[in-house]
Amino acid sequence: MQKSFQNVQAQAYANGAARGARYLQTISSRQVKAETGAFARLDPGLATDGMTVEAILDLMEEVGGEGTVASASGRYFGYVIGGALPAASAARALLSAWDQVADALTGPSVVRMEETAIRWAVDLLGLPVGTSGAFTTGATMANMTLLVTARDALLARQGHERGAGLHGAPKIRIVASAEIHATVLKSLRMAGLSSNDIEWVPVDREGRMDIGALPVLDDRTLVLAQAGNVCSGAFDPFEELGELCKAAGAWLHVDGAFGLWARASRQLEHRLKGLEKADSWVVDSHKTLNTPYDAGLALCRHPKEMEASMAIGAGYLPAAESNPANRAPEFSRSARGAETWAALLSLGRNGVAEMVERFHRHATRIASELRALGFEVPHQVHFNQVFTTLPSAEEACAKIADHVQRSGEAWFGQAAWQGKKGFRISVSNWSTTDDDVSRLITAIAQAKRDLGV
Ligand SMILES: *Cc1c(COP(=O)(O)O)cnc(C)c1O
């Protein structure tokens, strides 16, 4: 007897979910590095006839699963990746069954979840009333969305018509921190702005913009600051920047991909004092908040400006205020913001604060234990990032990172910062425990001994 399509689909979904559950059950004990030896099996050739779901999932599990870096585990300290909170990955699973497009007409409930999540994030981060925004695939796209918005707003103030393109447009000045994230430069180029004539602002030893070295601003200037330096975790001086930008009529944009969430903690929020004075902010859900990839948020004090730049306005679309496609680059996309909604529901205010404070506590301990092992940490622990070097043997740092990666005990990467070679540790996984931190430190000490440095 033939099964209904529905049964087949439900069974396939349950099969995939069961394997996902198996993976999650073993994630804390598995090695962090990937097994790549069997990757050739991932290309059995494009067959004339298709494979069964069971066979596809077997292949995925055996080769794909073993071929993952366990970046969702508590012993992954590379880049700023983050894991996925139970509620957020469960929401992802349910969303994948719903397969909704984030559009007010075809995905009304998920759009409501996204809009709710945006309001909660604005509240939690202490941003001005009236701030709104949209979900994107990540901070790169969120930065691009807001740089396009800022560009259009600054040009419109000069009398340049929106939609007239950049040809013959007045010049926009760009003032940026010397340590702005590399992807912001890409976002700038995607926004049609040049990264060649940026007026760079030098940073201090912590990686913060040196406010005394800021050029004179005017109302044609876009200022690019950051909340969370990728090496030191440091925050730019938003209070002073905000006042200067406001007085000059400049647009202040803050890239807070991982660092903005520190604002949710009473203990840490003073480090981001004045953040609310900016015009636009970017924050990822998929990093510090620990939702699954990919989800970033573009937030703007002037949502009407965002809509003026991003609205679609096709004849067959109703002028629905709540269509997220009118505030973001994509037209059709997944309802990724619903995972942020689930993450915030599961943590609550206290949970978010407790989580970011835990990241800070682990990072503080890591810095102090590294110093005890003879490493130099040339910055204060501002948030969750630790850059370190061996003053007498900088070259050995990459080898130490490599040695630990190969051991499968933990994962972090080499880095160079302010003329020093070293490695960088990021604490951004909800499930990282004190024991995971101990294993990290032990692995580093072992690598140092094995390499004789
Ligand atoms: C990761 C990161 C980005 C880019 O974010 P994606 O979500 O990977 O696009 C931008 N800025 C900072 C500070 C980051 O850490």
Side-chain angles (χ1 to χ4, degrees):
M1 211 175 61
Q2 212 179 356
K3 282 188 208 147
S4 71
F5 285 142
Q6 280 73 18
N7 273 340
V8 171
Q9 192 171 20
Q11 272 170 19
Y13 176 85
N15 193 344
R19 293 168 196 257
R22 202 144 67 208
Y23 180 81
L24 292 173
Q25 227 125 39
T26 59
I27 198 166
S28 67
S29 57
R30 58 176 288 134
Q31 60 171 14
V32 185
K33 70 173 175 185
E35 286 302 339
T36 59
F39 279 9
R41 285 182 58 203
L42 294 174
D43 183 4
L46 181 57
T48 310
D49 298 309
M51 280 165 81
T52 63
V53 171
E54 180 73 15
I56 294 165
L57 291 178
D58 280 348
L59 184 58
M60 263 187 97
E61 196 169 33
E62 287 163 21
V63 185
E66 293 308 307
T68 59
V69 171
S71 60
S73 89
R75 280 177 291 117
Y76 184 86
F77 298 92
Y79 307 105
V80 197
I81 296 288
L85 289 160
S89 59
R92 157 70 58 97
L94 190 49
L95 280 163
S96 84
W98 292 352
D99 189 25
Q100 292 281 279
V101 174
D103 164 80
L105 280 182
T106 47
S109 64
V110 292
V111 165
R112 182 62 76 92
M113 290 176 202
E114 287 202 343
E115 288 175 344
T116 305
I118 291 171
R119 271 192 288 107
W120 286 345
V122 167
D123 181 7
L124 202 57
L125 298 172
L127 302 182
V129 175
T131 297
S132 190
F135 281 95
T136 63
T137 49
T140 306
M141 285 307 287
N143 276 317
M144 192 205 76
T145 304
L146 292 164
L147 295 179
V148 167
T149 301
R151 175 199 75 188
D152 289 354
L154 289 173
L155 288 178
R157 287 179 204 162
Q158 308 294 313
H160 187 74
E161 194 193 328
R162 261 179 221 276
L166 291 178
H167 203 69
K171 194 165 159 43
I172 293 174
R173 289 174 58 205
I174 296 159
V175 170
S177 156
E179 293 199 355
I180 199 84
H181 198 262
T183 60
V184 178
L185 303 180
K186 172 176 169 164
S187 302
L188 259 186
R189 292 193 299 270
M190 290 196 291
L193 299 169
S194 170
S195 53
N196 291 342
D197 43 10
I198 292 176
E199 298 170 52
W200 295 108
V201 182
V203 294
D204 65 13
R205 288 176 53 188
E206 301 293 324
R208 293 176 297 221
M209 254 185 186
D210 175 1
I211 201 80
L214 201 71
V216 175
L217 306 175
D218 58 29
D219 61 0
R220 296 178 299 125
T221 310
L222 170 56
V223 179
L224 305 176
Q226 67 182 346
N229 178 298
V230 282
C231 283
S232 68
F235 303 97
D236 279 332
F238 304 118
E239 185 81 28
E240 295 90 334
L241 274 172
E243 290 302 326
L244 290 167
C245 287
K246 202 163 133 205
W251 183 293
L252 177 57
H253 173 75
V254 180
D255 171 23
F258 66 90
L260 219 66
W261 294 110
R263 261 282 266 220
S265 151
R266 287 247 162 88
Q267 265 176 40
L268 298 169
E269 66 176 352
H270 68 276
R271 297 167 191 260
L272 296 86
K273 197 155 174 278
L275 181 77
E276 70 285 352
K277 295 180 196 280
D279 293 284
S280 52
W281 307 264
V282 161
V283 65
D284 271 328
S285 294
H286 59 213
K287 291 180 177 173
T288 314
L289 188 64
N290 280 256
T291 69
Y293 277 81
D294 44 15
L297 252 176
L299 297 168
C300 187
R301 173 196 287 275
H302 322 283
K304 290 278 172 248
E305 299 281 6
M306 244 180 132
E307 280 166 23
S309 291
M310 293 290 147
I312 295 164
Y316 62 88
L317 297 172
E321 187 73 9
S322 62
N323 194 334
N326 286 332
R327 292 188 298 274
E330 297 123 318
F331 185 39
S332 307
R333 65 167 175 85
S334 81
R336 57 176 70 89
E339 293 151 17
T340 297
W341 173 85
L344 292 174
L345 264 184
S346 86
L347 291 171
R349 273 178 207 281
N350 290 343
V352 178
E354 193 276 324
M355 184 170 72
V356 296
E357 285 160 14
R358 184 161 15 100
F359 295 163
H360 181 240
R361 179 167 59 75
H362 285 321
T364 305
R365 175 182 160 204
I366 289 166
S368 101
E369 299 207 11
L370 284 171
R371 284 181 179 127
L373 286 173
F375 288 89
E376 180 198 353
V377 178
H379 62 85
Q380 300 161 30
V381 180
H382 298 273
F383 183 29
N384 63 329
Q385 301 292 100
V386 178
F387 173 84
T388 191
T389 181
L390 271 175
S392 57
E394 283 190 25
E395 300 295 334
C397 290
K399 293 195 187 112
I400 291 173
D402 185 60
H403 193 284
V404 173
Q405 285 171 19
R406 280 166 197 270
S407 76
E409 263 296 276
W411 207 106
F412 55 83
Q414 59 165 309
W417 185 55
Q418 299 203 345
K420 293 179 168 137
K421 287 182 192 154
F423 56 82
R424 187 183 60 167
I425 288 170
S426 170
V427 187
S428 51
N429 190 298
W430 69 280
S431 69
T432 296
T433 61
D434 288 318
D435 182 53
D436 290 329
V437 172
S438 300
R439 285 174 69 174
L440 167 75
I441 299 294
T442 305
I444 294 171
Q446 183 68 45
K448 194 166 173 282
R449 268 198 306 279
D450 289 353
L451 293 164
V453 286

